[in-house]
Each structure stands twice: as structure tokens, then as C-alpha cells.
Amino acid sequence: MLLKTPIEVYWCLTDRCNLSCNFCLSESGPEIRDNELDDEKRALILEDLIQCKILKVYLTGGEPLLIPETLWYVKRLRENGIFTVLTTNGVLLDPASIRTLSDHGLNRIQVSIHGSRPEINDAIMGGHAFERIIKALGWIHDAGLDLHIKVTITQENIHDLPRLVHRLIPFEPSLINASEVMATGRGFANYESLRPLEKELHETMEMIQSLNKLVVKVSFRNHTLHFIETGRPSTCTVGSETASTCLIMPDGNMTPCTPAHVWGLSNNVLEYGIQGAWEQIPLYAQFLQEENLHGRCRSCDLLHECKGGCRAEAYLHTNDVWGEYTPCIRLSQTK
């Protein structure tokens, strides 16, 4: 049975970004998109989140600090007892803004960095980000904020991860979250050049086990090794009645996850409210109807377990809602 309201909401305030990571899920860039909400409409969403007593809100993007009201959103959410996380690339932070975030009671800040040196990090993120991120991490540490680090693992930085972890230890992050690049957004366009090799992923998993003996916790989310270990893709749960998390896009549309926006299902919180939009999340389950799948997914003996893999990713590959999940190793073995 679906909860009355979501427990966690990822609120993407904008698709704009001052950087241009080559794997970006939302293909963020410097230009504002036509359908992005203004501050007045975002304020309505903010108050709705508060009225619905959402337990946890992630302020994300794009780059949320490009929205001048973001610090105010943190203040309002925390005044109302909502656990608040700010996800940022860190470039726009300065001592004053970090002090304000601390004074407002921000629970956690998650900063993205993808290399231990400028030549690695900045090749991935674009611009001259590395030195500014490192400065921001120092200010965050001095302010005593709970710090999480996000690292996206690609062919460009997978061998650099041990050096990056050691570079980050002085900032005392409570977690370094490393995730294998996903084939969505800009990551879809660049996937073949970005995807790490299976051997490299295995080595990284073993290496992270040794890194966890240090004073910092490192996690590693990877879909390729999961596939190899289980023999199938992760189960797609889009539209599940047991969902507890959702995403609000910069245009106000609520989806179960970032990739699900590709179907263009209209579910705007400004039209339905947070609760009303949440009640429509099960509509996304229409994309998991096994009997409608085409090709080899339809006849696979593991279809009932995996539901055809990530349906949004399958759509990106085939331009067909019911198309094969082409990244599936099982499919490549039956060609």
C-alpha cells in the first residue's frame, strides 16, 4: 500500500549548472530551460513540502546554489524539523554561505569531486573546479558540517580513487560514496568511452574493502558487478506501491526516479499538490507490464525477477517503451 506522502523527496531546483560533467544524468549546463519554475512557484512547493511533513529533503540540481533562494529553503525546512541535505559541486561556496548554512542547521552537505588532481577532476567536470572544491571542503570542515562526498566512477578516474580517498581524509567526510557511471543523460551519450572494465571494477571493489580500514567510510554502488553476481539486471521498481522516495523536477513534475522523466508523464505538483502527485506515482507501473515487452526480454526466464531491467534506460537505447534492455549481458550472450 502506498504511503500517504513520500518519506524522502529529491527536489531538483534547477537544471542549470556552472560545470558540465561528462556523465551528468540531467545533462545540466549554463542555460536556463524554458519550463523551469520561478522563485514564486518554487516557494509554493517549499510550503507544500512543509505542510506534508516530509521527513527528508535533498536540495539538488543541476547546481542548486545557482538559485539565490536555496539558503532560505534550508532555513525554512530546518525550522520545520525536516532533515535537509544540500547536494552541490562546491564551486559556488564561500565562508559566508557555509556559515549561513551552518547557522540554519543544515543536516548534511554532499559535495561532488571526481579526481585527486586538477587534470583528472577538471577533465570530467569541466572548468577549473578542483582548487575551488578543495577550498570549499576546508571551509565545510571548519564549520563542522556533516560532509558526504560523491564520486562517479568512470574509465577516467577509476585508478585514481585510492589517491582521491587519501586526499579527502583530512576533511573528515562521514562517507565517500563512489558510484559507477550510469548510461543516462550525458552519461548515455558518452557511455562507451566512460564505462570501466569489469576487471577494473573488481579491483576497485577489493581496493575499497582495504580503504574502509582507514578513518573514512567508502561505499561503492555498481550495477555491472551486481549483474555479474546475480546473473540479471537490478529489478526495476518504477511505480511500486511500496515506494518511499520521489523526485521533483525543475518544472515541478514528480517522478519516481531521474531516468523516469524520459516518458514525459504529466504529474506536476503545482497542479496536484505533493500528496496528489505522490498518489499518481503508481501510474508509472504501466511501463513494467511484462506481457508488453518485445524481443528477447519477453522470453527470458528471469523476466519476472528483473522486470526487463531499467525501463527508462531501455527506452533510451531503443526509442521503444517496450524495447529490449540492451545493456543486459544475457542478451549479448544470445545474439
Side-chain angles (χ1 to χ4, degrees):
M1 180 178 177
L2 191 69
L3 296 169
K4 185 177 180 180
T5 57
I7 292 174
E8 293 184 343
V9 173
Y10 289 78
W11 186 12
C12 295
L13 300 176
T14 180
D15 277 327
R16 281 188 298 148
C17 189
N18 51 324
L19 299 177
S20 55
C21 296
N22 58 16
F23 57 81
C24 181
L25 295 177
S26 58
E27 300 180 84
S28 296
E31 300 299 324
I32 186 169
R33 296 177 184 173
D34 293 339
N35 58 357
E36 185 168 306
L37 302 181
D38 58 25
D39 58 339
E40 183 176 343
K41 291 177 180 177
R42 284 193 301 268
L44 295 175
I45 295 176
L46 173 69
E47 295 307 315
D48 201 355
L49 290 167
I50 291 169
Q51 290 300 313
C52 287
K53 296 181 169 55
I54 304 301
L55 294 182
K56 193 172 186 178
V57 172
Y58 292 78
L59 300 174
T60 181
E63 174 48 58
L65 291 176
L66 287 171
I67 302 298
E69 297 80 17
T70 295
L71 300 186
W72 167 249
Y73 298 160
V74 172
K75 185 175 191 295
R76 289 287 294 133
L77 291 168
R78 291 300 302 129
E79 285 175 343
N80 288 275
I82 297 173
F83 192 100
T84 306
V85 182
L86 176 65
T87 300
T88 174
N89 59 41
V91 169
L92 299 178
L93 289 168
D94 57 30
S97 60
I98 291 171
R99 187 163 52 250
T100 299
L101 289 168
S102 180
D103 290 344
H104 289 344
L106 180 69
N107 296 98
R108 179 178 302 144
I109 187 165
Q110 179 174 279
V111 178
S112 298
I113 188 169
H114 306 290
S116 66
R117 307 188 306 276
E119 55 268 31
I120 298 175
N121 183 81
D122 296 351
I124 294 171
M125 300 185 79
H128 301 285
F130 180 80
E131 296 299 339
R132 287 178 287 179
I133 295 171
I134 291 297
K135 286 182 179 179
L137 293 177
W139 297 327
I140 291 168
H141 177 264
D142 292 345
L145 287 171
D146 180 24
L147 171 64
H148 279 195
I149 299 290
K150 175 67 184 296
V151 185
T152 297
I153 298 297
T154 73
Q155 182 65 232
E156 299 164 293
N157 66 359
I158 190 166
H159 299 293
D160 182 57
L161 185 60
R163 288 187 292 271
L164 177 57
V165 170
H166 284 277
R167 183 73 176 82
L168 295 171
I169 286 175
F171 304 116
E172 300 184 276
S174 56
L175 176 67
I176 298 175
N177 179 13
S179 300
E180 182 185 354
V181 61
M182 297 290 293
T184 54
R186 207 173 285 134
F188 175 74
N190 299 322
Y191 192 60
E192 289 308 312
S193 63
L194 294 179
R195 65 185 304 180
L197 302 175
E198 178 186 335
K199 178 176 181 292
E200 294 171 324
L201 291 169
H202 277 295
E203 292 171 349
T204 300
M205 180 66 80
E206 294 174 2
M207 177 267 296
I208 284 176
Q209 292 172 354
S210 65
L211 287 175
N212 276 322
K213 298 176 183 178
L214 302 173
V215 294
V216 61
K217 179 181 178 182
V218 184
S219 69
F220 184 34
R221 294 190 298 172
N222 61 88
H223 50 89
T224 298
L225 294 187
H226 170 84
F227 198 127
I228 293 167
E229 291 166 5
T230 62
R232 62 175 179 82
S234 298
T235 304
C236 188
T237 59
V238 66
S240 171
E241 290 277 357
T242 63
S244 61
T245 301
C246 68
L247 178 80
I248 299 177
M249 303 293 288
D251 61 359
N253 212 47
M254 182 186 289
T255 68
C257 58
T258 301
H261 80 276
V262 300
W263 297 308
L265 201 63
S266 179
N267 187 30
N268 203 289
V269 299
L270 293 175
E271 181 178 357
Y272 300 108
I274 298 288
Q275 186 173 345
W278 173 248
E279 289 170 353
Q280 297 196 77
I281 285 294
L283 292 176
Y284 282 88
Q286 66 185 283
F287 301 108
L288 289 185
Q289 296 174 13
E290 299 169 23
E291 64 275 15
N292 289 337
L293 294 181
H294 301 153
R296 289 165 293 175
C297 282
R298 176 73 176 271
S299 59
C300 180
D301 59 329
L302 295 180
L303 175 59
H304 186 64
E305 296 179 54
C306 79
K307 308 295 183 184
C310 173
R311 285 288 86 208
E313 192 176 340
Y315 176 75
L316 286 173
H317 280 277
T318 65
N319 201 33
D320 179 359
V321 170
W322 309 112
E324 292 180 341
Y325 182 65
T326 54
C328 178
I329 297 173
R330 290 171 65 87
L331 293 190
S332 66
Q333 293 172 342
T334 59
K335 286 183 178 179

